[in-house]
């Protein structure tokens, strides 16, 4: 049943959780077990949980002995090939104590635009969920080109939520909620709830590039949240450090109300 309010996350049957590179790679890799503990809690109560995780390129960078995120596509693809393997290994090791098995799903925009491959992707994920596997979805950076890249995994999270008809989408960020202006602005105020027809044109969500490893930001989260909400999926935007509270239905973050069907 679609989550109409934050509180409904505590009992939602199918939840997509998206986490960005800056939250789980590099010096932040310690957060993976914390994230997994929260996901395992939802899984234990019977929920079907799908994790959309960025971080392949960022995770691979140090193993290629690079000082910064590469700018050319070929090296990004090489970093993704190495990093995706390590990233999924870290998730699986964290899931092991809970007796949960992860299933890797790599997608491109073409996979979700082509009816045949879209159907195949949906069938595969439905079967994984039926087997109580926890799908870990990422963009297929190893084969993606600049023309077919999702651009950010916030949008990928929204598209996956649409694909599998999720009850809710949780977009994890570096801050507790969205603000009316960049959080560094002393006049910025937290946004509690966004209605489906809300006019956000007067708000300032800042740059879409927030750090050296991630390509998301407040603007991309707003865009993705509205995309999912328009499809009747409730969306919560909050901090990765608050994921357990988020999945427990706590009154935190910014809630995008789902459009009524």
């Amino acid at each position: 049943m679609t989550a109409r309010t934050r509180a409904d996350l505590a009992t939602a049957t199918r939840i997509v959780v998206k986490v960005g590179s800056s939250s789980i790679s590099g010096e932040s890799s310690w957060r993976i077990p914390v994230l997994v503990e929260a996901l395992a809690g939802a899984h234990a109560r019977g929920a079907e949980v799908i994790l959309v995780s960025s971080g392949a390129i960022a995770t691979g960078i140090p193993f290629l002995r690079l000082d910064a995120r590469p700018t050319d596509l070929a090296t990004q693809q090489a970093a993704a090939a190495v990093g995706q393997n390590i990233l999924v290994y870290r998730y699986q090791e964290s899931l092991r104590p809970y007796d949960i098995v992860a299933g890797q799903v790599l997608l491109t925009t073409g996979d979700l635009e082509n009816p045949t491959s879209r159907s195949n992707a949906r069938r595969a994920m439905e079967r994984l969920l039926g087997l109580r596997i926890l799908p870990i979805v990422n963009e297929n950076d190893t084969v993606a080109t600049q023309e077919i890249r999702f651009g950010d995994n916030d949008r990928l999270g929204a598209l996956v939520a649409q694909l599998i008809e999720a009850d809710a989408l949780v977009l994890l960020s570096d801050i507790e909620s969205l603000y009316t202006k960049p959080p560094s602005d002393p006049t910025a105020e937290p946004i509690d709830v966004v209605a489906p027809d809300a006019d956000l044109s007067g708000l300032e969500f800042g740059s879409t590039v927030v750090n050296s490893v991630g390509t998301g930001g407040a603007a991309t989260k707003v865009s993705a949240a509205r995309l999912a909400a328009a499809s009747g999926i409730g969306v919560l935007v909050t901090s990765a450090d608050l994921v357990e509270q988020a999945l427990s239905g706590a009154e935190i973050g910014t809630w995008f109300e789902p459009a009524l069907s």
Side-chain angles (χ1 to χ4, degrees), residues 108-159:
T108 66
T109 49
D111 295 325
L112 297 184
E113 290 172 353
N114 179 279
T116 300
S117 55
R118 178 183 172 87
S119 176
N120 288 338
R122 177 182 172 86
R123 182 172 61 244
M125 279 200 277
E126 288 285 357
R127 186 60 181 137
L128 286 169
L129 294 171
L131 293 168
R132 299 298 288 156
I133 303 297
L134 195 155
I136 298 179
V137 184
N138 197 357
E139 183 177 12
N140 195 350
D141 290 311
T142 304
V143 301
T145 67
Q146 296 291 7
E147 288 73 26
I148 66 172
R149 292 174 61 86
F150 284 103
D152 67 84
N153 275 353
D154 294 313
R155 180 166 175 254
L156 174 58
L159 293 174

Side-chain angles (χ1 to χ4, degrees), residues 214-261:
T215 56
T220 66
K221 286 175 175 56
V222 171
S223 177
R226 303 211 83 172
L227 175 63
S231 300
I233 300 168
V235 184
L236 179 68
V237 179
T238 193
S239 167
D241 292 329
L242 300 177
V243 60
E244 182 177 2
Q245 293 96 311
L247 295 179
S248 298
E251 290 292 318
I252 58 173
T254 300
W255 177 254
F256 286 77
E257 296 178 333
L260 298 175
S261 56

